[in-house]
Amino acid sequence: MSPYSRITGTGSYLPPRRLSNAELAAELAAQGVETSDDWIVERTGIRARHFAEPGVCSSDLGVEAAKNALQAAGLQPGDIDLIIVATSTPDMVFPSAACILQHKLGIAGCAAFDVQAVCSGFVYALTIADALIKTGSASKALVIGAEVFSRILDFSDRTTCVLFGDGAGAVVLEASQAPGILASDLHADGKHVGILCVPGTVSGGKVLGDPLLKMDGQAVFKLAVGVLEDAARATLAKAGLQESDIDWLVPHQANIRIMQGTAKKLKMSMDKVIVTVDQHGNTSAASIPLALDAAVRSGKIKKGETLLLEGVGGGFTWGAVLLNL
Ligand code: UT7
């Protein structure tokens, strides 16, 4: 058994179709839905998002991100003994996107399952993989966030459809003698189910209820800043570290104003916050590993640095993972 788990490779994948705010606004205008680049940029910081083509599923995006992460870690698919996919937009009701992705990677036998914690899914999945590695149940895990939120958007609702995008991010997490993941902190409060949900379900061969995303944006916003501060402080306390020990905050990419609010509460400069929401929109469980990979590949985040990953979303769920890269 190893005392720690450590990220040894990161990867990501965005579907090729990129829509700027202006392009999306023009498409929406044709359907009688009014929005503008100015509104979207001012209220959210989003400038563009990627949408998958019809028929492209979360496992398709996730497998490309996983291959990139494996290459970065210098591993082959056959080296992997655990696959966890964080997603709220799986390919099917069942089996899991993780099982489908495992087959697309050309491997079989290792444990594979999905985690459903909406936009907090990646920090949940990373924490579970860390625990399974520390108990000796796994030694080389793929932890993936993959989403096709475009499939569950109501394009007649301008308050939500401009916010989200599709994509996938992945990390390879390996057993390690040196500290990698230092601490994590996960929470949920089911009384807030209604403020961010897709209330429909499949029953009796039909979709029952509304299968499109509903959000009370202001309620989510208010809760988000508070719980992200709490999770950051709790995680730092567990590791015996201070805010000043964090080299980079890698937050869920929902809204630049939420990130600014969190950074302010933690007395961190925005120079230390990884921001990709402008180019990706909100990709739910994929947003943190997408941001992490972009920052690693651009050379911004370097090996040995201390990162705080933070997620918040439907459930209501929230959490943080503190790690040395
Ligand atoms: O990943 C899960 C976590 N999700 C989030 O973190 C989302 C959190 N919430 C938010 O990011 C923000 O609340 C929103 C971006 C969703 C909304 O921003 P806001 O500053 O709270 O705007 P608002 O809802 O108060 O709306 C302000 C105005 C309204 O018009 P009136 O009533 O003032 O005339 C809206 O109808 O903006 C209008 N509006 C729009 N206008 C143009 C709402 N959506 C749009 C739009 N284009 N797309």
Side-chain angles (χ1 to χ4, degrees):
M1 266 187 334
S2 300
Y4 299 106
S5 75
R6 187 168 199 146
I7 291 175
T8 56
T10 67
S12 60
Y13 181 77
L14 290 160
R17 185 167 171 240
R18 178 184 183 275
L19 267 96
S20 68
N21 289 344
E23 288 164 330
L24 180 62
E27 283 193 10
L28 292 173
Q31 303 167 38
V33 176
E34 202 184 312
T35 188
S36 65
D37 176 53
D38 284 352
W39 190 93
I40 302 170
V41 171
E42 191 191 313
R43 301 291 175 130
T44 72
I46 297 167
R47 293 180 183 275
R49 77 285 294 140
H50 291 245
F51 284 158
E53 294 299 329
V56 173
C57 298
S58 288
S59 70
D60 296 309
L61 306 182
V63 77
E64 297 306 323
K67 285 178 190 167
N68 291 339
L70 284 167
Q71 195 176 34
L75 295 181
Q76 299 299 317
D79 297 323
I80 293 300
D81 56 13
L82 171 67
I83 300 174
I84 308 180
V85 177
T87 186
S88 299
T89 49
D91 304 25
M92 304 178 185
V93 173
F94 71 79
S96 65
C99 287
I100 299 168
L101 185 149
Q102 181 202 49
H103 185 60
K104 286 178 179 166
L105 267 182
I107 57 173
C110 69
F113 60 92
D114 288 359
V115 165
Q116 218 280 40
V118 201
C119 303
S120 312
F122 187 76
V123 291
Y124 267 67
L126 197 58
T127 302
I128 295 165
D130 173 54
L132 287 171
I133 287 175
K134 282 180 182 155
T135 57
S137 299
S139 63
K140 290 181 172 58
L142 265 172
V143 185
I144 300 156
E147 302 278 17
V148 283
F149 257 55
S150 59
R151 303 284 152 74
I152 52 168
L153 295 179
D154 178 353
F155 285 98
S156 69
D157 176 9
R158 68 178 183 173
T159 69
T160 54
C161 72
V162 301
L163 305 176
F164 295 89
D166 302 339
V171 300
V172 172
L173 192 71
E174 291 190 59
S176 164
Q177 294 304 315
I181 292 183
L182 303 171
S184 60
D185 189 59
L186 301 179
H187 298 277
D189 185 348
K191 79 168 170 278
H192 299 297
V193 165
I195 64 170
L196 178 48
C197 60
V198 177
T201 188
V202 176
S203 176
K206 295 194 183 99
V207 174
L208 208 67
D210 191 341
L212 299 176
L213 184 148
K214 309 277 167 240
M215 179 168 74
D216 176 346
Q218 288 190 358
V220 171
F221 195 112
K222 274 185 208 142
L223 272 174
V225 179
V227 298
L228 287 172
E229 181 191 7
D230 293 346
R233 294 201 189 286
T235 314
L236 285 164
K238 284 182 190 177
L241 295 181
Q242 316 288 326
E243 288 97 317
S244 55
D245 294 316
I246 302 171
D247 293 308
W248 296 101
L249 183 65
V250 189
H252 170 48
Q253 308 284 316
N255 187 320
I256 188 73
R257 292 187 291 141
I258 295 178
M259 293 185 247
Q260 287 162 342
T262 309
K264 197 171 166 194
K265 286 192 178 238
L266 297 176
K267 299 190 178 60
M268 288 180 75
S269 146
M270 279 304 285
D271 294 345
K272 289 183 154 201
V273 182
I274 302 300
V275 176
T276 51
V277 73
D278 55 331
Q279 295 305 317
H280 301 167
N282 181 346
T283 58
S284 191
S287 92
I288 294 172
L290 262 165
L292 175 63
D293 185 53
V296 166
R297 283 176 195 263
S298 72
K300 213 171 194 183
I301 291 182
K302 295 181 186 64
K303 211 168 160 46
E305 289 184 320
T306 301
L307 318 181
L308 184 72
L309 278 43
E310 282 206 294
V312 61
F316 208 65
T317 55
W318 65 98
V321 176
L322 186 69
L323 59 93
N324 281 343
L325 194 68

